[in-house]
């Protein structure tokens, strides 16, 4: 174990190896539901964003793919500023409505407005003016999303300190998010088949953005929040993020997460390109993507059950192994190779569903270890770093994808050359498969298990005078 917060040496005997008697009760289902509801709206619009915005921009707005890729990269550069600021100030907040929920209230309307702006550029805008509109709209959208997502993610990390209850919480959230993703696929279908795609994009963004904002407000109103965590973030923003990087478990997790997200970020973006130009079956795009979520929904109860019987680390390693095999298999996909696609999607759905549940549960345990080291609660700082890694990796990959497509001669709505098809397959298979393989090997070194987490919680309980249960306020 690392040294305690006051710097004095303390023997391991001060920490009990037995499981602590946590004062917390299991989370009420109403709380889990209230926390999970926003993921339905977020997942629906994110599905539309990640799958169709690049193709909408290149094939409908006729923006060059390299230019659109650079716009995505610009958004990620902005996130390098906005995410840490949101994380730090939400950790330090003492707002009456809660240090997390106050931000959620503020974010709802901007999320709605910027969603509409992103999908509704003026019809008269062309060339440089159109690119400037998309860049500005993307920056505003990402800012609004950060104001919501960083505090929202942090709130989930602190709703419970029970080791296995966290897996249950994020399991339910994943189920509701998967349902929302299915709705998002419906939006993709409507845009893909629309006779007037610009008007359809405006209408969908108006309805979807309003629903997402309403769900955010619902969660902000209904969720409880811990009074004992108010204002317990680091005093200085630099110290907050240096502490995050000093956490050995967190540092390894960041590296693994960064490697994986760098590889996987191109997948959703390239799916419609692969289905149209490689498989020659664009009409099945939504069907195959929807199949990705079937094993996620079907096996979520099993992941929650297994989380109590085998280690979270083992489950995540299984998840990454499935993702590695699935992505490498994509390279062999060809015209109408439906059987191989079924196998690939089953592997990716199995691994993706398991990882989406177990990963945030492990992240929450790592944050408890940070409190053991520093005496502070920095969920916001941690979520900011994870969010920044996710979006930064996605931005770099988007830029790489756009530049590569233009370099190999991609032209919208025509038959592609063999070189272009191979480049698409490589970006969607070899890149993510290799990254997931590296991530799997790195994660075998992760060492924060249930026993060590229990030791951490016993010590934190001692420091708080025997009280570990949360004092919550509405």
């Amino acid at each position: 174990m690392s040294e305690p917060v006051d710097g004095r040496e303390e023997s391991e005997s001060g920490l009990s190896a037995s499981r602590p008697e946590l004062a917390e009760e299991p989370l009420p289902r109403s709380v889990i539901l209230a926390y999970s509801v926003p993921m339905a709206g977020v997942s629906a619009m994110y599905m539309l964003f990640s799958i169709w915005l690049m193709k909408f921009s290149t094939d409908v707005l006729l923006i060059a793919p390299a230019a659109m890729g650079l716009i995505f990269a610009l958004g990620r550069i902005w996130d390098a500023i906005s995410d840490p600021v949101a994380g730090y100030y939400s950790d330090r907040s003492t707002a009456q409505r809660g240090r997390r929920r106050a931000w959620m209230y503020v974010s709802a309307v901007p999320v709605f407005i910027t969603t509409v702006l992103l999908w509704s550029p003026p019809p008269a805008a062309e060339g440089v003016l159109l690119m400037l509109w998309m860049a500005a709209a993307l920056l505003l959208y990402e800012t609004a999303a950060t104001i919501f997502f960083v505090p929202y993610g942090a709130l989930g990390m602190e709703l419970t300190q029970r080791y296995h209850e966290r897996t249950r919480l994020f399991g339910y959230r994943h189920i509701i998010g998967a349902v929302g993703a299915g709705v998002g696929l419906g939006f993709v279908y409507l845009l893909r088949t629309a006779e007037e795609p610009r008007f359809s994009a405006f209408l969908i963004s108006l309805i979807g953005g309003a629903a997402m904002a309403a769900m955010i407000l619902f969660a902000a109103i209904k969720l409880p929040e811990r009074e004992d965590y108010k204002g317990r973030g680091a005093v200085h923003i630099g110290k907050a993020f240096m502490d995050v990087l000093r956490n050995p478990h967190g540092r390894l997790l960041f590296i693994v997460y960064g490697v994986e997200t760098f590889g996987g970020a191109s997948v959703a973006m390239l799916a419609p390109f692969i289905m149209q130009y490689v498989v020659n079956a664009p009409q099945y795009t939504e069907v195959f993507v929807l199949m990705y979520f079937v094993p996620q929904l079907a096996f979520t109860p099993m992941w929650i059950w297994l989380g109590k019987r085998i280690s979270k680390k083992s489950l995540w390693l299984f998840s990454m192994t499935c993702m590695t095999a699935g992505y490498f298999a994509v390279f062999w996909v060809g015209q109408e190779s439906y059987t191989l696609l079924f196998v690939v999607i089953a592997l990716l759905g199995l691994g993706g569903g398991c990882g989406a549940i177990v990963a945030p549960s492990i992240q929450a345990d790592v944050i408890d270890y940070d409190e053991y080291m520093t005496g502070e609660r920095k969920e916001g700082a941690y979520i900011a770093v994870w969010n920044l890694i996710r979006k930064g990796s996605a931005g770099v990959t988007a830029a790489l994808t756009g530049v590569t497509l233009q370099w190999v001669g991609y032209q919208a709505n025509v038959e592609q050359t063999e070189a272009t098809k191979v480049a698409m397959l490589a970006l969607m298979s070899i890149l993510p498969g290799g990254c997931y393989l590296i991530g799997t090997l790195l994660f075998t070194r992760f060492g924060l298990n249930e026993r060590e987490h229990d030791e951490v919680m016993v010590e934190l309980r001692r420091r708080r005078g025997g009280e570990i249960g949360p004092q919550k306020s509405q």
Side-chain angles (χ1 to χ4, degrees):
M1 303 289 287
S2 301
E3 291 185 359
V5 61
D6 56 13
R8 297 191 303 269
E9 293 184 1
E10 183 170 329
S11 68
E12 289 283 346
S13 61
L15 302 179
S16 169
S18 62
R19 184 167 182 79
E21 294 291 327
L22 295 179
E24 293 184 4
E25 294 295 327
L27 287 173
R29 192 165 296 175
S30 60
V31 171
I32 294 177
L33 177 64
Y35 181 69
S36 302
V37 160
M39 285 308 297
V42 170
S43 295
M45 298 311 294
Y46 180 74
M47 182 63 61
L48 181 64
F49 179 96
S50 59
I51 290 181
W52 206 250
L53 184 58
M54 175 66 88
K55 203 161 191 303
F56 177 75
S57 301
T58 58
D59 293 15
V60 177
L61 302 181
L62 301 179
I63 299 175
M68 199 60 205
L70 292 175
I71 289 173
F72 278 113
L74 178 64
R76 301 295 83 84
I77 293 172
W78 170 241
D79 288 330
I81 300 171
S82 61
D83 282 20
V85 169
Y88 169 75
Y89 280 108
S90 69
D91 281 341
R92 294 290 297 167
S93 175
T94 58
Q96 185 176 358
R97 289 187 171 183
R99 65 174 186 164
R100 311 300 184 192
R101 291 181 300 140
W103 289 70
M104 293 167 64
Y105 279 112
V106 170
S107 70
V109 173
V111 162
F112 166 56
I113 293 173
T114 56
T115 297
V116 176
L117 291 176
L118 183 62
W119 289 95
S120 308
E126 296 179 351
V128 175
L129 181 60
L130 178 59
M131 288 187 288
L132 288 175
W133 176 280
M134 293 301 291
L138 182 64
L139 289 177
L140 291 171
Y141 170 81
E142 292 291 356
T143 302
T146 291
I147 293 173
F148 161 70
F149 198 80
V150 171
Y152 169 78
L155 181 56
M157 298 289 170
E158 60 194 29
L159 280 175
T160 179
Q161 291 184 319
R162 294 167 63 102
Y163 188 78
H164 295 298
E165 188 69 3
R166 286 168 167 167
T167 306
R168 175 172 170 255
L169 170 66
F170 295 118
Y172 276 85
R173 185 183 73 170
H174 180 65
I175 290 174
I176 291 178
V179 172
V183 175
L185 282 175
F187 291 160
V188 172
Y189 172 79
L190 291 175
L191 280 188
R192 182 177 62 80
T193 58
E195 293 185 4
E196 298 182 20
R198 278 180 170 247
F199 176 75
S200 297
F202 166 72
L203 194 61
I204 288 170
S205 65
L206 191 69
I207 295 171
M212 181 166 52
M215 293 174 188
I216 291 171
L217 288 174
F218 172 81
I221 293 169
K222 293 294 184 179
L223 283 171
E225 194 166 348
R226 303 181 68 119
E227 284 289 330
D228 54 328
Y229 282 2
K230 272 189 177 181
R232 286 192 57 199
V235 176
H236 301 293
I237 189 169
K239 179 184 182 302
F241 291 96
M242 287 304 297
D243 286 345
V244 168
L245 296 178
R246 288 190 189 103
N247 185 336
H249 304 301
R251 191 165 57 243
L252 176 59
L253 214 57
F254 294 144
I255 295 171
V256 171
Y257 191 55
V259 169
E260 288 184 355
T261 51
F262 173 75
S266 64
V267 174
M269 185 184 302
L270 282 168
F273 292 89
I274 295 291
M275 291 301 297
Q276 179 172 346
Y277 299 115
V278 177
V279 183
N280 289 334
Q283 69 274 20
Y284 296 138
T285 299
E286 297 80 24
V287 174
F288 279 104
V289 177
L290 184 62
M291 286 173 52
Y292 170 75
F293 292 100
V294 172
Q296 298 200 26
L297 288 169
F299 287 99
T300 292
M302 186 177 77
W303 303 136
I304 297 173
W305 181 81
L306 283 175
K308 298 179 180 180
R309 288 157 179 83
I310 63 177
S311 69
K312 296 178 185 179
K313 176 181 175 179
S314 297
L315 281 179
W316 204 3
L317 284 172
F318 169 78
S319 162
M320 289 189 280
T321 302
C322 288
M323 302 298 279
T324 301
Y327 281 130
F328 276 135
V330 170
F331 192 74
W332 306 107
V333 167
Q335 184 173 343
E336 298 183 355
S337 53
Y338 301 134
T339 302
L340 179 57
L341 274 174
F342 278 117
V343 174
V344 166
I345 291 169
L347 279 172
L348 294 179
L350 198 66
C354 180
I357 294 166
V358 177
S361 183
I362 294 175
Q363 292 169 356
D365 300 336
V366 168
I367 294 170
D368 290 334
Y369 191 84
D370 179 271
E371 183 185 2
Y372 170 78
M373 293 174 61
T374 67
E376 299 165 343
R377 294 297 307 189
K378 294 193 286 288
E379 287 89 351
Y382 276 86
I383 291 296
V385 173
W386 274 305
N387 210 33
L388 181 60
I389 289 172
R390 175 182 63 83
K391 294 194 289 187
S393 298
V396 174
T397 307
L400 174 65
T401 300
V403 171
T404 301
L405 288 179
Q406 189 153 332
W407 179 61
V408 296
Y410 171 80
Q411 295 184 21
N413 303 313
V414 299
E415 178 65 24
Q416 305 301 319
T417 65
E418 287 303 313
T420 304
K421 294 178 184 179
V422 170
M424 289 179 181
L425 286 170
L427 287 169
M428 196 171 173
S429 62
I430 296 174
L431 177 61
C435 288
Y436 266 92
L437 177 60
I438 294 170
T440 304
L441 296 174
L442 288 173
F443 192 63
T444 58
R445 302 175 57 191
F446 186 76
L448 183 58
N449 54 32
E450 184 175 1
R451 181 195 61 80
E452 186 172 355
H453 182 263
D454 286 347
E455 293 175 349
V456 167
M457 298 312 296
V458 168
E459 171 61 8
L460 294 181
R461 183 182 184 185
R462 183 191 67 77
R463 293 179 189 173
R464 299 173 191 172
E467 179 60 50
I468 202 170
Q471 303 162 19
K472 295 182 179 179
S473 66
Q474 292 287 349

